[in-house]
Amino acid sequence: MTTTELWCDRCGEPATATAHRACATARQLEPPRFCPRCRRRMKVQVLPVGWSAVCVEHGEVRG
């Protein structure tokens, strides 16, 4: 099963609606805020060595 991003993981808007250049730039420094698969707001924890973001439906992502 392949996963395609349906939602922008920074602003939560549809990923194909606009170019999301500001979101892409900000994501170089920030963790994701929304699940790209279901658009739910994720629980984000920023640590000195990286970050983790958890979606209650789709699990954890680390960076």
Side-chain angles (χ1 to χ4, degrees):
M1 180 165 111
T2 56
T3 302
T4 57
E5 286 194 13
L6 304 173
W7 308 101
C8 176
D9 64 359
R10 181 171 179 264
C11 68
E13 295 301 317
T16 56
T18 62
H20 292 277
R21 284 185 222 140
C23 293
T25 301
R27 279 285 288 120
Q28 293 177 7
L29 302 172
E30 300 176 4
R33 301 294 175 184
F34 292 89
C35 178
R37 294 173 63 189
C38 67
R39 196 183 191 184
R40 283 188 173 101
R41 188 102 165 127
M42 295 195 292
K43 180 179 84 172
V44 177
Q45 183 175 18
V46 178
L47 306 167
V49 293
W51 53 263
S52 68
V54 179
C55 171
V56 296
E57 183 72 22
H58 298 104
E60 183 176 23
V61 178
R62 291 180 177 261

